[in-house]
Amino acid sequence: MGSPEQNKKVAVTGVASIFLVACVVAATVSVGRSGESADGGGEISTASKSVKEICAPTDYKETCERSLAGAKDTDDPKELIKLAFRVTVENITDAISKSELLKEADKDPRTSDALDTCKELLHNSIDDLKRSFQKVENFDMAHIKEYTNDLKVWLSGAITQQETCIDAFENTTGDTGEKMKHLLKTANELSSNGLAMITHFTELLQSLEIPGVNFKRRLLTAETKGEEQEEEFPGFVDAATRRLLTTDPASIKHDIVVAKDGSGQYKSVVEALRAVPFKNDETVVIFIKAGVYNERVEVPRKMNKIVFVGEGPTKTRITGSRSNKDGIGTYHTATVAIQGDGFIARNIGFENSAGAAKHQAVALRVSADMTIFHNCHIDAYQDTLYTHAYRQYYRDCTITGTIDFIFGDAAAVFQNCKMVVRKPLKNQACMVTAQGRKEHRGVGALVLQNCDIIPDPALKSVNPPVKVYLGRPWKEYSRTIIMQSYIDGFIAPEGWSPWDGEIGLDTLWYAEYQNRGAGASTASRVKWNGYKKNISADIAKQFTVGMLLQGDEWIKETGISYDSGMTKV
């Protein structure tokens, strides 16, 4: 990089342009026009100085410079944006068409399902690209922290979408999965590069302390509530529904009522969702009366601001039994799948009743940003709750399961929740968490704060006792912290389990902080390089709702109780 004076000049006069270019290039889900990998044939055009500077902090510099090679003769940021966006659209279209060719060549049902899943996930990545593009189109230096937080979340989400595509081939035969992995190699590198650019540039701006650039959160305190109040409310909470979750469910004004006995407008949740506009952006409250609803529910992407309110997690239950054992990919086994941003659920039970013998069987998958689950029960065995991507908050919930029953790569915080470990199949061990961060700069983390990790009564009666662990690393940069929580004595003294040999043990990030209970002692914990036996209060605070989720900006005005920082226990 240049001198401090040059850096400051770039930061002041060119920050918007660099962010725009970085975001568009970075979130790209491309496979290259010719399908060649970054280290394949073809000469790389001589990159301009500006391109080299943009690519400097990335892990895959050659791929970065190659992607911008066509822009070497222009300094117009708008033209750079158009070029990057056009190439991205062309490449994703090419990737989808190639996946169709792979599907025609491989008739295996599981492979076909995996390719369909990939197609869906690639479209989701394009959506993340588009919203990143739109976010920075009206760039505002005064709100740079908000911009960078959102961009990091969405680019991390784009990386997760690609990795989930590869995961879909886990139980397939043949080499189709490897072919798809090769096609997505450049996409993985470009997405990683984008996250690196934004992370580096944020750090640069912070170090320069430029006047007017605010990296601090603006909170709705007593002093600010009377000032610009309407602008400070979260985007998915409108005036008519603020604090709707603080009132009794029976007194809430509902837009739609679902009741199995016919006393509502619809008898099923699926029917109710059909009445909501596909690209919804206004809060819609769906009151689901007591009953067991045996159906597969999906709140699709772009159907935002949906609120489910039940009559209690043991009274209002949505259940299903799809499982991996039945030939369905884990991603699509979910009884309920949430993909619309700003989703809220209160007083509802989500269940997958497939049972332990059916292996992976998801009760709830959350693939949406800024979601809240309050007083919900999420019940299954293996892979109960798939915290897939983006920002998620869980309060006063109960999650039950056996193996990896809270897993995924979201930035997810659980407060005042109960994690209940159930009895597994014979000779199986149990793991509460399996965090799946693939990118070392990604925002993903599982945080259990002031929670109870306890055994189901049936588990306690097993002899010899079942080995139970706090978690294991699903991906190389797995990140989990358990803090200020109660850990019962049934947890194995070593605390954590490997996934596959030594994979991830040096690169993961696991920590425990201020826990209590017979299982909270860290004296005999694992000796992995990635396990942090002692962390400071300042590090622990980085994983609180206010800092990890930026929750003060979007949870506060829903009326949901939450602790922004450390809990007083």
Side-chain angles (χ1 to χ4, degrees):
M1 300 296 289
S3 67
E5 291 76 15
Q6 291 172 323
N7 283 340
K8 188 166 184 177
K9 182 179 179 181
V10 170
V12 174
T13 63
V15 61
S17 301
I18 294 179
F19 264 128
L20 287 166
V21 175
C23 294
V24 174
V25 174
T28 184
V29 183
S30 78
V31 294
R33 293 190 191 210
S34 63
E36 292 179 343
S37 63
D39 53 0
E43 293 186 7
I44 301 174
S45 301
T46 302
S48 66
K49 181 180 179 181
S50 60
V51 168
K52 283 188 174 294
E53 288 180 349
I54 290 172
C55 294
T58 67
D59 292 341
Y60 306 99
K61 293 180 178 59
E62 184 176 337
T63 303
C64 180
E65 292 177 5
R66 182 189 296 274
S67 69
L68 290 177
K72 64 181 184 301
D73 296 326
T74 180
D75 291 323
D76 186 342
K78 290 184 179 180
E79 291 305 313
L80 291 173
I81 296 163
K82 290 177 183 178
L83 172 64
F85 190 71
R86 184 171 63 250
V87 171
T88 302
V89 172
E90 291 173 356
N91 286 334
I92 191 62
T93 302
D94 184 50
I96 293 172
S97 66
K98 286 181 178 179
S99 72
E100 290 295 331
L101 293 174
L102 292 175
K103 188 174 181 180
E104 292 177 8
D106 194 327
K107 302 299 183 181
D108 173 61
R110 280 189 177 271
T111 303
S112 178
D113 179 72
L115 287 165
D116 286 341
T117 299
C118 273
K119 185 176 180 179
E120 175 185 343
L121 292 163
L122 289 176
H123 280 299
N124 290 347
S125 291
I126 285 291
D127 281 344
D128 282 333
L129 165 68
K130 289 181 178 179
R131 63 170 155 180
S132 296
F133 179 85
Q134 292 167 358
K135 184 74 176 180
V136 297
E137 203 167 25
N138 298 313
F139 188 83
D140 181 357
M141 291 283 282
H143 295 90
I144 191 170
K145 183 65 173 177
E146 175 190 345
Y147 281 92
T148 55
N149 283 335
D150 287 347
L151 292 169
K152 288 175 186 176
V153 169
W154 297 338
L155 293 178
S156 295
I159 292 169
T160 300
Q161 302 283 0
Q162 296 166 34
E163 185 65 13
T164 307
C165 165
I166 303 303
D167 290 338
F169 293 92
E170 184 178 10
N171 294 315
T172 62
T173 59
D175 62 352
T176 302
E178 285 300 313
K179 290 178 180 177
M180 181 58 73
K181 188 174 182 179
H182 176 74
L183 288 175
L184 291 176
K185 182 178 184 293
T186 302
N188 296 154
E189 294 178 354
L190 286 171
S191 298
S192 172
N193 285 347
L195 198 54
M197 291 180 212
I198 292 169
T199 300
H200 174 78
F201 211 73
T202 304
E203 293 170 350
L204 172 62
L205 289 175
Q206 285 178 304
S207 68
L208 293 174
E209 299 181 352
I210 303 169
V213 179
N214 181 21
F215 279 90
K216 295 181 180 179
R217 299 189 314 275
R218 177 173 172 81
L219 308 182
L220 254 185
T221 62
E223 290 75 21
T224 61
K225 279 188 176 180
E227 174 188 349
E228 300 182 87
Q229 183 173 7
E230 291 302 315
E231 294 182 4
E232 292 300 323
F233 282 114
F236 64 86
V237 180
D238 57 32
T241 53
R242 285 178 196 143
R243 300 199 176 277
L244 66 89
L245 298 185
T246 62
T247 60
D248 182 79
S251 65
I252 294 174
K253 180 182 177 182
H254 312 298
D255 299 293
I256 299 173
V257 177
V258 177
K260 289 187 71 69
D261 62 9
S263 60
Q265 294 140 290
Y266 303 98
K267 291 185 177 182
S268 75
V269 181
V270 170
E271 288 177 318
L273 287 171
R274 287 181 186 141
V276 179
F278 177 68
K279 292 185 178 181
N280 181 69
D281 207 34
E282 295 183 2
T283 302
V284 176
V285 181
I286 301 176
F287 180 42
I288 308 171
K289 288 189 175 183
V292 178
Y293 298 83
N294 196 331
E295 52 183 318
R296 183 176 184 271
V297 176
E298 179 177 335
V299 177
R301 203 168 172 101
K302 297 184 181 179
M303 186 181 286
N304 301 329
K305 305 181 183 179
I306 302 299
V307 180
F308 283 0
V309 179
E311 294 194 276
T314 62
K315 295 179 179 179
T316 299
R317 306 273 295 174
I318 305 175
T319 186
S321 59
R322 292 163 68 96
S323 72
N324 192 271
K325 189 79 169 180
D326 294 329
I328 302 169
T330 302
Y331 184 82
H332 283 135
T333 63
T335 299
V336 177
I338 306 301
Q339 302 204 102
D341 293 343
F343 176 87
I344 302 174
R346 180 191 181 195
N347 300 341
I348 294 180
F350 303 95
E351 179 187 42
N352 192 311
S353 62
K358 290 296 186 75
H359 302 297
Q360 295 96 332
V362 177
L364 174 66
R365 171 170 56 82
V366 185
S367 307
D369 197 14
M370 297 186 180
T371 54
I372 301 174
F373 295 83
H374 177 228
N375 190 33
C376 292
H377 285 191
I378 308 163
D379 301 310
Y381 286 85
Q382 184 172 349
D383 290 2
T384 302
L385 172 59
Y386 194 172
T387 58
H388 183 226
Y390 314 114
R391 287 165 283 200
Q392 305 177 17
Y393 178 61
Y394 299 80
R395 178 82 177 195
D396 301 326
C397 293
T398 297
I399 304 100
T400 69
T402 55
I403 301 170
D404 307 332
F405 66 92
I406 303 174
F407 74 111
D409 192 26
V413 178
F414 298 79
Q415 285 184 344
N416 298 13
C417 293
K418 292 181 180 178
M419 287 69 186
V420 182
V421 184
R422 305 176 79 171
K423 178 182 175 181
L425 296 175
K426 189 176 181 180
N427 298 323
Q428 284 185 332
C430 294
M431 298 83 181
V432 177
T433 67
Q435 207 282 330
R437 191 169 63 139
K438 179 69 174 179
E439 164 61 45
H440 66 98
R441 296 184 183 89
V443 301
L446 289 177
V447 181
L448 280 58
Q449 183 182 13
N450 197 31
C451 293
D452 293 338
I453 302 174
I454 57 178
D456 182 83
L459 178 70
K460 295 174 70 174
S461 65
V462 177
N463 193 17
V466 173
K467 292 281 282 185
V468 181
Y469 303 92
L470 297 173
R472 60 176 178 165
W474 184 24
K475 304 292 181 182
E476 292 90 331
Y477 295 96
S478 180
R479 184 165 62 172
T480 302
I481 179 170
I482 300 174
M483 60 186 186
Q484 301 185 302
S485 293
Y486 173 81
I487 304 175
D488 205 324
F490 73 121
I491 294 294
E494 58 269 38
W496 306 85
S497 172
W499 181 278
D500 183 12
E502 301 293 315
I503 294 176
L505 303 190
D506 290 337
T507 52
L508 60 79
W509 197 95
Y510 287 169
E512 299 173 57
Y513 181 76
Q514 290 187 348
N515 295 312
R516 58 195 183 276
S521 173
T522 60
S524 300
R525 290 297 196 247
V526 293
K527 306 301 181 184
W528 308 336
N529 289 337
Y531 175 71
K532 313 302 178 186
K533 189 172 182 178
N534 298 299
I535 62 171
S536 67
D538 286 341
I539 291 176
K541 287 177 183 176
Q542 294 176 20
F543 295 93
T544 57
V545 169
M547 296 192 71
L548 182 68
L549 303 185
Q550 301 85 52
D552 299 315
E553 299 167 10
W554 57 278
I555 299 174
K556 188 181 184 76
E557 291 307 315
T558 66
I560 290 284
S561 298
Y562 79 103
D563 295 303
S564 178
M566 304 305 290
T567 303
K568 294 180 180 179
V569 295

